[in-house]
Amino acid sequence: MNALWQSILSTSSLAKGMSEVYHSIASSKIAHVIINNSFDVSLQIPIITETSVLPSIIETQMPGLWLTTANSFDDDESVEDNMLAKHFSLLFLDDVSTILKEIETEPKDLSGPLAHYVRCSKPTMSFLQVSIQHDIPLTDIQILARHLIYWRRARAIPPLHHRDTYIVSPNADMKGLRSQSFIYARTFPTLPSLPKMLSMLSGKPRPYCSIIPSKDHRQAYLEILAWLVRGGWVTQLRTFAWVYVCKNIKIEVAQEMAREEAAKSGAHALPTPSTPPSRSITTDAGPPDIRSGYLSPPALSDASSISSNASTVKPEKDDPSLEPSIVLEPHKANALECRWLEKIAEKLEPEEARMYFPVFTKYFNGQHALEKIAVRESLTRKDVRRLLAAMDVALIEVRHW
């Protein structure tokens, strides 16, 4: 029977093609089929290249899979369907020389632009930066990049930067450390070993530039970083934030709203203003007493009650609506949340922080990494760090991949 099967494979291109498709797809490879020397096609089932969560102990483990929450398709606010985000970059999964040789087999109308883009692309440059620097239409770059990603020759990632923070991935395949160390040593023979690099990135999170000996070593260390990200050894540690509304802010806003209501109605006295429902969640994080300068409110006592004409406003101390909370979606804030945000902005110093707070609030929803602000708002990283430091009293931050 085996001899008959081998005879069929040697005489029938269709049978050979079917066999190639079966064995390639079963092993998660790309099947390249040629039938009758006229029909040439490549087939595959796209594989998972990244994950945003670690599998539980009862789920299938996939060590070495890139761990990140960065999404190259919905990372831009107005990105078109099926278009890669313009602020992402391309990380090649093979040597550029190998990819260029494979491109030579592509149709002539595609191989030229594709080869040109491959030569121009760098994992430290976004699609938009490559487009501007090399005068290639952005749409063409996004299409070519998707072609390379689909055929498993590249991966879309946030651009690598020496000032970003990278950590050893919790999903790194440590069982392959020994074998990969030899490959790493051949690639970077004069630089720190793979175990040494992973050790330096395993301590307290710090910017990647802190382990680069000098400016002359920067390019070499960025190549190491690309190698580590490509193999799923490291991942970027990113910062996410929410707007924290302390009790003091809520008291001031409640008092202002009560005075405004009194002025409209002309009443001589008003009860404690009711607070409309909001899309915020109550939290005990970041107590007001450690956020000095955020707001020193009028105390809720007889001596500090605020009087306006004949009306006196006294919010109740134990009013649950005045408890500290987080604004979950500041870019979709309701009327009350907008008042809170405006009051927070008034309290910030310096003036530049007050001006940029409304601009930055769309990133303070726990879904957008703060590292993306600089490129999207055309600011320097130094300016963004300074502004975020000034806004820190009104933010709750977390860091994860």
Side-chain angles (χ1 to χ4, degrees):
M1 187 67 182
N2 184 58
L4 175 60
W5 177 239
Q6 294 301 324
S7 175
I8 293 174
L9 289 179
S10 61
T11 56
S12 171
S13 59
L14 177 59
K16 183 178 180 181
M18 293 172 63
S19 175
E20 173 66 22
V21 169
Y22 173 79
H23 289 292
S24 297
I25 298 301
S27 56
S28 296
K29 296 180 180 179
I30 299 174
H32 185 208
V33 180
I34 301 177
I35 300 177
N36 293 334
N37 294 320
S38 58
F39 183 75
D40 188 335
V41 65
S42 293
L43 304 170
Q44 66 154 321
I45 296 178
I47 60 175
I48 298 174
T49 59
E50 62 190 57
T51 180
S52 60
V53 295
L54 287 170
S56 67
I57 58 175
I58 61 174
E59 295 176 326
T60 302
Q61 304 297 303
M62 302 183 71
L65 199 63
W66 186 41
L67 186 64
T68 183
T69 55
N71 190 321
S72 58
F73 285 98
D74 63 4
D75 202 62
D76 285 348
E77 293 181 355
S78 58
V79 70
E80 297 180 17
D81 291 340
N82 299 321
M83 275 293 186
L84 294 167
K86 63 184 178 182
H87 295 297
F88 268 62
S89 64
L90 205 64
L91 176 65
F92 295 120
L93 302 181
D94 289 320
D95 293 334
V96 172
S97 58
T98 302
I99 295 176
L100 289 174
K101 289 180 181 178
E102 294 177 348
I103 290 175
E104 293 176 358
T105 63
E106 297 277 358
K108 294 298 181 181
D109 58 340
L110 177 62
S111 60
L114 188 57
H116 177 57
Y117 170 62
V118 168
R119 294 188 182 96
C120 295
S121 181
K122 295 180 180 178
T124 55
M125 296 176 63
S126 69
F127 300 134
L128 181 60
Q129 290 172 326
V130 174
S131 173
I132 295 173
Q133 182 169 326
H134 297 281
D135 195 26
I136 306 174
L138 178 60
T139 304
D140 290 356
I141 287 178
Q142 292 168 315
I143 293 173
L144 294 172
R146 284 211 64 182
H147 177 81
L148 291 166
I149 293 170
Y150 181 79
W151 294 112
R152 308 182 190 181
R153 296 298 178 265
R155 178 192 304 155
I157 63 169
L160 303 179
H161 198 281
H162 63 283
R163 293 194 182 279
D164 284 332
T165 301
Y166 297 88
I167 59 171
V168 175
S169 173
N171 201 43
D173 185 10
M174 290 303 173
K175 291 183 179 180
L177 180 60
R178 182 180 178 84
S179 60
Q180 289 297 308
S181 293
F182 292 112
I183 299 174
Y184 174 95
R186 290 198 300 268
T187 308
F188 309 105
T190 62
L191 295 169
S193 66
L194 177 57
K196 178 65 175 177
M197 286 297 301
L198 296 179
S199 175
M200 289 190 289
L201 295 171
S202 295
K204 181 180 179 180
R206 52 181 175 161
Y208 186 69
C209 60
S210 64
I211 68 173
I212 302 178
S214 68
K215 190 174 181 179
D216 294 336
H217 291 80
R218 182 182 298 173
Q219 183 57 38
Y221 272 72
L222 285 174
E223 291 175 3
I224 291 177
L225 180 60
W227 192 93
L228 293 173
V229 173
R230 182 182 299 118
W233 293 102
V234 303
T235 189
Q236 183 182 353
L237 186 65
R238 307 194 298 165
T239 309
F240 301 82
W242 293 266
V243 177
Y244 171 83
V245 185
C246 70
K247 188 172 185 177
N248 304 331
I249 289 290
K250 292 188 174 184
I251 290 173
E252 275 213 4
V253 170
Q255 291 171 339
E256 289 179 359
M257 293 174 67
R259 288 196 297 269
E260 292 169 1
E261 186 65 25
K264 290 180 180 178
S265 63
H268 294 291
L270 285 176
T272 301
S274 60
T275 304
S278 66
R279 295 186 305 277
S280 58
I281 59 175
T282 300
T283 176
D284 294 329
D289 58 347
I290 66 171
R291 295 172 179 267
S292 57
Y294 189 22
L295 176 62
S296 297
L300 298 181
S301 64
D302 293 340
S304 60
S305 297
I306 297 179
S307 298
S308 176
N309 297 327
S311 64
T312 302
V313 179
K314 292 183 181 180
E316 296 292 337
K317 289 183 181 180
D318 299 328
D319 187 347
S321 66
L322 297 179
E323 289 301 313
S325 63
I326 292 173
V327 180
L328 295 179
E329 297 181 279
H331 59 298
K332 298 179 181 178
N334 59 32
L336 179 60
E337 291 170 338
C338 286
R339 294 289 292 263
W340 293 341
L341 295 174
E342 290 170 2
K343 182 59 65 175
I344 290 172
E346 291 177 9
K347 304 296 179 180
L348 297 178
E349 293 290 344
E351 173 64 29
E352 192 177 15
R354 294 194 290 273
M355 180 179 68
Y356 274 99
F357 185 75
V359 178
F360 285 10
T361 50
K362 61 178 174 284
Y363 300 104
F364 300 152
N365 64 352
Q367 299 178 28
H368 294 287
L370 303 188
E371 286 78 7
K372 69 172 65 171
I373 294 178
V375 65
R376 283 160 177 71
E377 301 300 334
S378 300
L379 296 169
T380 65
R381 285 172 172 259
K382 183 178 180 181
D383 286 340
V384 171
R385 286 196 302 271
R386 178 171 51 80
L387 290 169
L388 289 176
M391 300 173 190
D392 183 64
V393 293
L395 300 177
I396 289 181
E397 298 181 357
V398 298
R399 305 185 77 187
H400 64 84
W401 54 80

